Amino acid sequence: MTKRYRPLVRSDAPRPEDAQPLAAGPRWFTHCALHQPGQPPQRVPARDVPPEVLARLTAPRPALAGLSLEAPRIMGILNVTPDSFSDGGLDASAAEAAARGRALLAAGADLLDIGAESTRPGAAEVPQAEELARLLPVLEALPGAPISVDTRKAAVARAAARAGAALINDVSGLCFDPDMARSVAELGLPVCIMHSRGSPETMRELTSYEDVLLEVYEFLETQLALLENLGLPRRQVLVDPGIGFAKTEAQNLALLRGLSIFHGLGCGLLVGVSRKGFVGRIGGAPRPADRAPGSLALALAAVAQGAQVIRVHDVAETRQALALWQAVEHEGEKP
């Protein structure tokens, strides 16, 4: 592992003349925390950050899957599974799932993330044919809708692309299916790569890190290089640190505190914390359906560090919270 720079993000006024824009957005920084293995972070001026790193931290993020990333985007979760931890088993048919998806879009989702295989801790792998049988009828019932497909399997990704998906969201970070990286590169579709370890059945035992922030960064950087070598440019990629996947509660919080470090990858940043177990433990909400307030708090904390995409169950509540937060933070800016 090498040196990594974490912008110390601010938004208050007056903005100093030497301030650097975070991903060309309204938030800015004049200093970074320098992270190195085995050493405490050191505060350094932005002018001392290597030019190629500063360029990635400050450059605008191009539109992706038809969406501008100049303002935060809401990805609405639509699981068409019987066993997802929060919304599994809600729909009796593809038509009902599609209706729920349309309701999420009407509530303010910019994009639907449709998953047909649960990847909650302890979940078993779903056969490819079963995953496709759950997924494709829903895609067919949502023609023209902005859709991301949450899958670890290359064949499912290819079928989803044919059915109109605009983005592939692989929670294994291209590690589950050895053909996934090449497939998404050949498709030319945007992809989200997430950090995880092992499988849903084993990830709770794979939480040993020397430095979770740096190790997650290194993994994402390696997978980005793999895609670039296969011909998919970095501008076509979202990165996700994988909150809750092979992470302890303390590690989840460390990633959220240090989230701005991932802007150094030069990609759009997606964060998914919605209704996760540690939200319930810290917030005193055993039932996933009762975790919207805690999920909103973390979503806004992620946006405050420049996250461009927030993956949520509670779309209307997130849209309202984001509108109010932006009204206070950025006078005249609309979400």
Side-chain angles (χ1 to χ4, degrees), residues 173-246:
L174 312 175
C175 292
F176 176 80
D177 186 335
D179 193 39
M180 180 62 102
R182 187 170 300 280
S183 291
V184 294
E186 289 174 352
L187 289 168
L189 276 184
V191 62
C192 179
I193 51 176
M194 192 191 82
H195 175 273
S196 187
R197 284 177 170 177
S199 67
E201 295 131 307
T202 63
M203 63 182 176
R204 285 175 292 194
E205 285 74 52
L206 299 174
T207 59
S208 177
Y209 300 86
E210 291 185 12
D211 187 318
V212 68
L213 205 58
L214 289 179
E215 289 177 55
V216 170
Y217 190 108
E218 296 302 321
F219 170 85
L220 294 172
E221 180 67 271
T222 297
Q223 300 308 91
L224 275 167
L226 170 63
L227 288 174
E228 287 185 308
N229 289 336
L230 290 169
L232 191 72
R234 195 172 290 242
R235 66 177 180 272
Q236 289 279 81
V237 184
L238 290 171
V239 293
D240 179 348
I243 305 297
F245 285 77

Side-chain angles (χ1 to χ4, degrees), residues 72-331:
R73 295 296 185 175
I74 295 175
M75 174 185 274
I77 299 169
L78 182 63
N79 287 318
V80 291
T81 58
D83 58 342
S84 289
F85 79 95
S86 181
D87 60 346
L90 289 181
D91 309 303
S93 67
E96 288 186 10
R100 188 157 58 94
R102 285 189 289 270
L104 291 173
L105 292 170
D110 298 296
L111 186 70
L112 296 177
D113 191 42
I114 304 179
E117 178 186 47
S118 176
T119 50
R120 62 176 171 77
E125 180 183 344
V126 172
Q128 177 181 301
E130 184 175 347
E131 185 176 351
L132 285 168
R134 295 174 180 175
L135 175 68
L136 293 180
V138 181
L139 295 183
E140 292 165 2
L142 287 166
I147 288 173
S148 160
V149 168
D150 180 353
T151 185
R152 303 179 293 168
K153 302 183 181 76
V156 175
R158 290 193 293 269
R162 290 192 295 270
L167 183 144
I168 302 302
N169 181 15
D170 184 351
V171 300
S172 79
L174 312 175
C175 292
F176 176 80
D177 186 335
D179 193 39
M180 180 62 102
R182 187 170 300 280
S183 291
V184 294
E186 289 174 352
L187 289 168
L189 276 184
V191 62
C192 179
I193 51 176
M194 192 191 82
H195 175 273
S196 187
R197 284 177 170 177
S199 67
E201 295 131 307
T202 63
M203 63 182 176
R204 285 175 292 194
E205 285 74 52
L206 299 174
T207 59
S208 177
Y209 300 86
E210 291 185 12
D211 187 318
V212 68
L213 205 58
L214 289 179
E215 289 177 55
V216 170
Y217 190 108
E218 296 302 321
F219 170 85
L220 294 172
E221 180 67 271
T222 297
Q223 300 308 91
L224 275 167
L226 170 63
L227 288 174
E228 287 185 308
N229 289 336
L230 290 169
L232 191 72
R234 195 172 290 242
R235 66 177 180 272
Q236 289 279 81
V237 184
L238 290 171
V239 293
D240 179 348
I243 305 297
F245 285 77
K247 318 288 192 309
T248 65
E249 181 176 300
Q251 291 160 354
N252 289 330
L253 294 173
L255 287 168
L256 289 165
R257 291 188 197 104
L259 199 60
S260 65
I261 197 172
F262 298 107
H263 293 291
L265 294 164
C267 298
L269 175 59
L270 183 150
V271 177
V273 294
S274 183
R275 300 186 182 181
K276 291 192 173 178
F278 79 104
V279 177
R281 289 190 294 275
I282 294 173
R287 292 196 322 129
D290 296 332
R291 296 173 189 166
S295 301
L296 288 172
L298 294 180
L300 294 180
V303 172
Q305 292 198 58
Q308 286 92 0
V309 183
I310 306 297
R311 184 178 183 272
V312 305
H313 296 87
D314 302 292
V315 169
E317 294 85 347
T318 304
R319 177 59 68 192
Q320 183 182 116
L322 186 57
L324 270 294
W325 183 86
Q326 287 181 305
V328 172
E329 282 282 300
H330 311 299
E331 182 178 354

Side-chain angles (χ1 to χ4, degrees), residues 20-111:
Q20 299 290 332
L22 182 68
R27 308 190 75 77
W28 52 269
F29 61 100
T30 58
H31 290 73
C32 288
L34 170 61
H35 290 255
Q36 301 180 81
Q39 299 183 31
Q42 296 176 295
R43 183 181 172 93
V44 298
R47 64 176 177 269
D48 292 343
V49 175
E52 66 277 10
V53 177
L54 193 61
R56 284 187 177 176
L57 290 172
T58 59
R61 302 304 187 242
L64 187 143
L67 296 174
S68 167
L69 298 183
E70 293 179 359
R73 295 296 185 175
I74 295 175
M75 174 185 274
I77 299 169
L78 182 63
N79 287 318
V80 291
T81 58
D83 58 342
S84 289
F85 79 95
S86 181
D87 60 346
L90 289 181
D91 309 303
S93 67
E96 288 186 10
R100 188 157 58 94
R102 285 189 289 270
L104 291 173
L105 292 170
D110 298 296
L111 186 70

